């Protein structure tokens, strides 16, 4: 993990779950981490913990659906740490529902956060990566980026989109800018909390509660991708619980 120490790493959706685990783990390996999310009280607690343990962390309240806020986050990081080396697009929502439930507002929310939020991150930091001809994007998708099932239609569509964006970005940027997808299977997070149908939420929790990966497992996968030498681009990592077979 020598290549992680001293790197400036930005993480969206860092107030809980996978984003929080990534921030804590990478900081423990010597990275300087910049956290953003909408819940500033949680960000403050996590940043305080990291600093107390000898790490370097900063935070800013950001709504990734607002491009100016994401751009401001990047400017804030550069002001504090002088540069950005890795940008982790982690923010996401998963309000599962059947199409004929017609939860159109939830569809729009998923598109705004899961797709546009990633694009806003890319647009905000790519100029920095291009100027110094180095950097790494890590986009946290889901096994839903390659699988669709009942209730996941729109959610999976957003993750398929991020997979396509990541592949296109990888081909368009210079050879010295890396692009990685990390696709978690069933993992401990607050994603199920965004399901508005009480029965469906209960079913989702019951279905996955036995086989959930700890969020730290995804953090370790991210660390693996970041730690590779500059000429090694880990394009995709799919991380499932061993008991999760078919989806």
């Amino acid at each position: 993990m020598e290549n992680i120490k001293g790197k400036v790493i930005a993480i969206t959706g860092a107030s809980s779950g996978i984003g929080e685990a990534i921030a804590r783990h990478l900081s423990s390996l010597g990275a300087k981490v910049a956290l953003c999310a909408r819940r500033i009280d949680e960000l403050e607690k996590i940043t305080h913990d990291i600093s107390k343990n000898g790490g370097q962390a900063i935070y800013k309240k950001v709504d990734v659906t607002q491009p100016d806020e994401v751009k401001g986050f990047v400017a804030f990081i550069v002001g504090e740490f002088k540069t950005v080396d890795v940008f982790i697009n982690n923010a996401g929502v998963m309000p599962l529902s059947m199409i004929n439930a017609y939860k159109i507002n939830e569809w729009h929310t998923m598109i705004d956060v899961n797709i546009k939020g990633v694009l806003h991150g890319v647009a905000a930091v790519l100029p920095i990566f291009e100027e110094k001809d180095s950097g790494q994007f890590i986009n946290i998708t889901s096994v839903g980026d390659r699988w669709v099932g009942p209730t996941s239609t729109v959610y999976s569509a957003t993750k398929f989109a991020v997979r396509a964006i990541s592949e296109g970005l990888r081909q368009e940027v210079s050879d010295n800018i890396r692009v990685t997808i990390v696709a978690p299977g069933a993992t401990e997070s607050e994603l199920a909390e965004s399901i508005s149908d009480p029965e469906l939420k209960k079913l989702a929790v019951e279905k996955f509660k036995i086989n959930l990966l700890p969020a730290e497992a995804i953090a370790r996968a991210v660390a693996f991708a970041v730690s590779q030498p500059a000429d090694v681009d880990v394009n995709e990592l799919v991380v499932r619980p061993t008991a999760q077979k078919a989806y």
Side-chain angles (χ1 to χ4, degrees), residues 64-135:
V64 297
T65 69
Q66 303 302 311
D68 288 344
E69 292 192 21
V70 183
K71 189 175 180 180
F73 176 50
V74 171
F76 167 67
I77 300 168
V78 172
E80 295 290 325
F81 290 146
K82 308 306 180 188
T83 192
V84 183
D85 298 306
V86 182
F87 196 95
I88 302 175
N89 282 300
N90 169 71
V93 292
M94 189 187 71
L96 302 177
S97 66
M98 300 290 280
I99 287 289
N100 64 4
Y102 305 114
K103 293 186 178 287
I104 295 174
N105 288 339
E106 292 182 359
W107 302 348
H108 282 284
T109 297
M110 282 188 279
I111 290 167
D112 288 345
V113 175
N114 297 357
I115 302 177
K116 293 181 182 178
V118 169
L119 289 170
H120 296 161
V122 171
V125 81
L126 183 56
I128 294 171
F129 288 176
E130 288 184 323
E131 183 177 355
K132 65 179 187 174
D133 196 28
S134 69

Side-chain angles (χ1 to χ4, degrees), residues 56 71 113 146 149 159 189 239:
Q56 296 186 65
K71 189 175 180 180
V113 175
R146 63 204 65 214
K159 296 302 183 177
S189 74
V239 186

Side-chain angles (χ1 to χ4, degrees), residues 179-200:
V179 182
T180 300
I181 292 171
V182 177
T187 305
E188 291 174 351
S189 74
E190 296 181 354
L191 280 176
E193 295 303 313
S194 62
I195 301 173
S196 59
D197 182 319
E199 283 301 311
L200 184 54

